[in-house]
Amino acid sequence: MDRPPQSTEFDAIVIGSGATGGWAAKELCENGLKTLMLDRGGSVEHRQDYPTEGRGAHELPFRNRWPPGKQADYSLSPTARPENYPFYASDDEQPYVYDESKPFTWIRPGVVGGKSLVWGRQCYRWSRQDFESNRADGHGVDWPIRYDDIEPWYRHVEGIVGISGEALGLEELPDSDFQPPMPLNIVEQRFREVLARDFDDRVLTIGRVANLTLDMPEQGRVRCQFRNQCHRGCSYGAYFSTQAVTLPMARATGNLTLKGDSVVESLEYDAAQQRVTGVQVIDAHTGVRSVYRARVVFLCASCIASNQILLNSRSEAMPNGLGNTHDVLGRYIVDHVYGVRAFGTFRGQFEQFVEYGRRPNGFYIPRFRNLSERESMQDFVRGYGYQGAARRLAPESGAGFGAELKQRLRVPGPWQIYMLGFGEVLPDPGNRVLLSETAVDRFGIPQVRFDVQWGQNEARMGADIARQSVAMLRGAGATEIVSEDVLGAPGRAIHEMGGACMGDDPAQSVVNRWNQLHVAPNVFVTDGAAMSSGSCVNPTLTLMAMTARAANHAVDLVSNDAV
Amino acid sequence: MITSQIDRREALGGFAAIFGAALISPLRRAVAAGTDPGMGPQNDIFSDEQRTLLDALCERIIPTTDTPGARDAGVTRYIEMIIDEYYEPDAREGFLDDLQAIDEYSREQRQAPFADLAPEQQDDIVSLAEQRQLDGADDDFFETIKQLTVTGYYTSEIGMTVERIYLPTPGRYDGAFPYAEVGKLFTA
């Protein structure tokens, strides 16, 4: 049972209920802290609020097309689909601004659970090199922590998240504590063999994914059923989400109060005590403002939203936002180089085989460019990896009608491999989020203004992603190879990071090595905002590990009365 | 490790079976067609005559063979919903005009409504439409009706579960499954 909502005093407040907020709440609650978790979105309860789960098109409204006119309400969320758009914020709930020449795509959920309900579930540990790149090439703020600092926390979260994957022993892609891998299909298996034979620096493996291949009865979770409907919510709890994992664990302690529909406007700062004393909250339905108080505050609202809250926490002592004493807050925004992809067809090959089941996962080709132990011959720094899959295309219906058409529609199209690069973006102080001076949202909160664009390093990397994908597909014997090498707008990979970067020097960073604001050590920023660089692998696993680490540090400080 | 609120016995003892049973009986809890938005037309767009005509026309595009065709799959109702919900008035009028053109052609050339013709005679008229040689019908009429029929059929219960193989809960993944074992597609 959640605690009664009338209380406004807590040991800890967690702002946000996505992957990081859920982890913060779980760790804090399990260590005995009375914790309030706030989310601006409405309630979604595990199992009971997954209305489209397990339904075929014939059982869904409009045969699972968008209801008339509805898609226009979600134009800012290109990943929202007819079967799950209620999980996203509609356009009028999340306005933001940017210069027309510098578009940014801010994809934002609108419910408790946040992006953990709809995420891609790919989980990769960062490498040693990832934590050292800023120092090595001079871009961004040097990380004050290294791989060894985070490694125990990777293990800590992996055992609970449940990650299936194949151990490879690679320095550039450290193994997690894995459940058995999902299978590659026959074309991916062949592709893997070709890469091993002809591209000695490249490995293809099944995606490492937060989908169970073994039941976890102690959590009430059942292995993946290969429906590929994760984004609708999964009553098996087969994929990691706040609802399936961290929220029930936090609730089981009796220490959690969850309040949805609670929009955090700002944090109240006491300059004399150097601490945040309250969290200003607006009720999303009534507009009523209230203040909640706690000894420690975890900012897990998502990279951009956490930056917005800090920037909007203006005080006499810090008129430009909480922690913005040296004009560093909001800077070094990164995402991943995204949008460069290639397709290759295998006409007349493997035709006797089809896929049984719908695997919610694909293959992964780890970074092979600019690895520390190899000589760099590239015209860009840092690296990229590929995600992709082989699948059979839809039948080729052709002209005509009648029994022949019907028969043709029983024959699957050829196999096709698609592969999509994810590249590291250089941290650049010029890439920043600010608050608009004129535009406000429906609560009167200043809107985020994006000033982010990718540079030459990203463009050169994108060109290499395209070239190498074509070369690999050609090597595998694909034909009709098509590549698209236009970089997506920043934000489109939904891997936004930075803005409240971690560092030792308060003049150059916003949070310290324990994710605490330099100016207010009782505030921990543990979502993507604290990331001083972005690696090229999907960030969520690292964010969860870092959150667990910070939360346990916070518990230590609270127990020692040191915060 | 922390035990969640879920009953451990439930988790350990056939949890998947209990739970899966609820998930894999979608037919039982299918929303009654036509009563809820998106499950059928909310307004009458077609006359009974037009429905009879469309039934016949769609059945020629996806006919009954060793599996049921468009008529049994209720494609006409699907098209009525799409036109009701998504078509602007002009497009709706255009669609109805095209239907009328087919019927008029049939009555003039074959002295009978389209729906009453033999299948081969119907096919001749559909071929004319495909070749854009049917007087009074839009050039894209055939492609429009073909697209609507194909989409309506393969998203219907018959298309999803009879013509194709519907696996709501596959339970496993096999990336080298022999197509010859089934000879048709799994529903996406």
Side-chain angles (χ1 to χ4, degrees), chain A residues 163-294:
Chain A
I163 299 168
S164 60
E166 178 191 26
L168 295 170
L170 298 174
E171 174 76 15
E172 63 271 28
L173 193 76
D175 297 326
S176 290
D177 179 8
F178 289 130
Q179 292 200 351
M182 289 181 176
L184 294 171
N185 64 44
I186 189 159
V187 177
E188 294 163 345
Q189 186 64 42
R190 177 64 61 87
F191 195 25
R192 173 186 170 110
E193 290 159 13
V194 167
L195 295 187
R197 189 187 67 207
D198 299 337
F199 295 82
D200 64 356
D201 57 351
R202 303 184 200 178
V203 181
L204 182 148
T205 187
I206 186 71
R208 298 172 172 182
V209 69
N211 288 72
L212 306 184
T213 51
L214 298 175
D215 295 344
M216 293 181 83
E218 71 281 7
Q219 290 184 21
R221 297 170 65 195
V222 174
R223 73 184 79 178
C224 179
Q225 301 298 307
F226 295 94
R227 301 184 295 176
N228 196 22
Q229 296 176 352
C230 314
H231 59 285
R232 304 180 184 192
C234 180
S235 290
Y236 294 100
Y239 78 91
F240 173 89
S241 65
T242 296
Q243 272 81 354
V245 184
T246 48
L247 182 55
M249 286 180 163
R251 279 177 166 161
T253 65
N255 289 328
L256 182 74
T257 301
L258 168 60
K259 264 183 73 69
D261 300 309
S262 299
V263 179
V264 173
E265 181 176 30
S266 60
L267 308 180
E268 237 176 50
Y269 181 61
D270 181 332
Q273 294 188 68
Q274 293 209 341
R275 56 186 286 119
V276 158
T277 53
V279 177
Q280 283 275 1
V281 174
I282 303 172
D283 184 301
H285 293 308
T286 64
V288 172
R289 284 174 160 77
S290 43
V291 179
Y292 293 88
R293 302 187 187 282

Side-chain angles (χ1 to χ4, degrees), chain A residues 30 56 58-59 62-63 66 185-186 217 222 225-227 235-236 352-356 358 398 400 402 406 409-410, chain B residues 2 15 19 23 26 38 61 63 65-68 86 130 146 152 155 163 166-168 170-171 173-175 177 179:
Chain A
E30 288 180 351
H58 58 300
E59 302 167 297
F62 305 101
R63 305 284 174 91
W66 281 92
N185 64 44
I186 189 159
V222 174
Q225 301 298 307
F226 295 94
R227 301 184 295 176
S235 290
Y236 294 100
Q352 63 272 42
F353 300 111
V354 294
E355 292 175 278
Y356 180 98
R358 301 179 295 278
K406 195 177 173 188
L409 292 174
R410 287 180 179 178
Chain B
I2 300 301
F15 182 89
F19 211 67
L23 291 173
I61 292 171
T65 53
D66 55 338
T67 60
Y86 295 92
E130 184 180 20
K146 178 178 171 181
T155 59
E163 170 63 17
Y166 181 50
L167 301 172
Y173 177 76
D174 179 351
F177 185 86
Y179 171 69

Side-chain angles (χ1 to χ4, degrees), chain A residues 229-538:
Chain A
Q229 296 176 352
C230 314
H231 59 285
R232 304 180 184 192
C234 180
S235 290
Y236 294 100
Y239 78 91
F240 173 89
S241 65
T242 296
Q243 272 81 354
V245 184
T246 48
L247 182 55
M249 286 180 163
R251 279 177 166 161
T253 65
N255 289 328
L256 182 74
T257 301
L258 168 60
K259 264 183 73 69
D261 300 309
S262 299
V263 179
V264 173
E265 181 176 30
S266 60
L267 308 180
E268 237 176 50
Y269 181 61
D270 181 332
Q273 294 188 68
Q274 293 209 341
R275 56 186 286 119
V276 158
T277 53
V279 177
Q280 283 275 1
V281 174
I282 303 172
D283 184 301
H285 293 308
T286 64
V288 172
R289 284 174 160 77
S290 43
V291 179
Y292 293 88
R293 302 187 187 282
R295 292 182 72 179
V296 294
V297 174
F298 270 71
L299 201 42
C300 302
S302 84
C303 169
I304 303 302
S306 289
N307 274 284
Q308 182 181 23
I309 290 167
L310 290 172
L311 287 164
N312 198 40
S313 301
R314 294 181 268 213
S315 59
E316 211 168 297
M318 290 179 213
N320 298 318
L322 182 60
N324 203 10
T325 46
H326 295 81
D327 191 24
V328 175
L329 180 64
R331 296 187 179 276
Y332 299 103
I333 296 292
V334 299
D335 181 35
H336 282 146
V337 170
Y338 183 87
V340 181
R341 65 189 77 209
F343 304 84
T345 304
F346 294 82
R347 216 167 272 280
Q349 300 179 65
F350 313 103
E351 273 186 342
Q352 63 272 42
F353 300 111
V354 294
E355 292 175 278
Y356 180 98
R358 301 179 295 278
R359 187 189 59 192
N361 190 13
F363 63 70
Y364 191 70
I365 298 174
R367 173 175 169 180
F368 51 87
R369 290 302 198 205
N370 301 325
L371 297 175
S372 27
E373 70 272 25
R374 296 176 201 160
E375 194 182 352
S376 171
M377 303 288 286
Q378 308 309 319
D379 60 356
F380 58 91
V381 297
R382 313 226 176 171
Y384 59 84
Y386 291 100
Q387 291 178 33
R391 60 194 174 178
R392 286 201 81 156
L393 294 177
E396 294 169 347
S397 67
F401 60 93
E404 280 179 34
L405 171 65
K406 195 177 173 188
Q407 185 54 40
R408 280 200 302 276
L409 292 174
R410 287 180 179 178
V411 181
W415 283 94
Q416 184 193 60
I417 290 178
Y418 78 89
M419 48 198 301
L420 168 66
F422 284 79
E424 182 164 2
V425 168
L426 285 183
D428 176 344
N431 283 333
R432 60 190 301 210
V433 293
L434 311 85
L435 294 183
S436 167
E437 286 171 11
T438 52
V440 295
D441 68 10
R442 64 200 161 118
F443 307 109
I445 298 172
Q447 291 182 22
V448 171
R449 177 159 82 81
F450 291 92
D451 184 7
V452 180
Q453 74 183 148
W454 299 159
Q456 200 165 48
N457 200 64
E458 287 75 33
R460 287 173 173 166
M461 183 185 286
D464 195 52
I465 293 172
R467 272 194 308 272
Q468 296 310 312
S469 54
V470 169
M472 288 186 273
L473 289 170
R474 192 167 288 142
T479 56
E480 300 162 65
I481 297 169
V482 179
S483 74
E484 299 168 3
D485 64 354
V486 179
L487 300 193
R492 189 58 188 78
I494 327 181
H495 293 161
E496 316 90 88
M497 287 170 275
C501 293
M502 179 185 285
D504 275 337
D505 181 356
Q508 293 184 35
S509 58
V510 177
V511 301
N512 69 13
R513 59 178 54 224
W514 296 103
N515 296 76
Q516 297 164 279
L517 284 181
H518 290 299
V519 300
N522 71 326
V523 176
F524 294 76
V525 182
T526 74
D527 57 23
M531 302 297 277
S532 300
S533 65
S535 174
C536 69
V537 301
N538 306 54

Side-chain angles (χ1 to χ4, degrees), chain A residues 100-144:
Chain A
E100 246 174 66
S101 63
K102 297 182 180 181
F104 194 100
T105 304
W106 183 16
I107 296 176
R108 202 172 186 193
V111 291
V112 167
K115 293 195 288 276
S116 82
L117 272 175
V118 294
W119 66 311
R121 308 169 307 283
Q122 297 285 310
C123 287
Y124 303 95
R125 286 190 182 191
W126 278 30
S127 68
R128 288 179 184 283
Q129 185 181 6
D130 286 327
F131 287 96
E132 293 161 12
S133 291
N134 283 4
R135 187 186 56 187
D137 61 29
H139 296 279
V141 180
D142 183 22
W143 280 92

Side-chain angles (χ1 to χ4, degrees), chain B residues 85-140:
Chain B
E85 298 275 8
Y86 295 92
Y87 275 44
E88 298 294 333
D90 279 1
R92 189 179 299 181
E93 285 309 310
F95 187 87
L96 295 176
D97 288 347
D98 290 343
L99 281 188
Q100 194 179 335
I102 287 219
D103 217 34
E104 276 174 9
Y105 180 89
S106 176
R107 287 172 197 273
E108 279 169 24
Q109 302 294 319
R110 304 285 185 183
Q111 290 76 47
F114 179 86
D116 290 352
L117 301 182
E120 304 75 39
Q121 293 175 316
Q122 290 172 336
D123 285 354
D124 289 343
I125 297 179
V126 178
S127 291
L128 274 183
E130 184 180 20
Q131 293 153 28
R132 304 181 164 193
Q133 289 170 6
L134 190 74
D135 287 345
D138 269 8
D139 279 354
D140 58 3

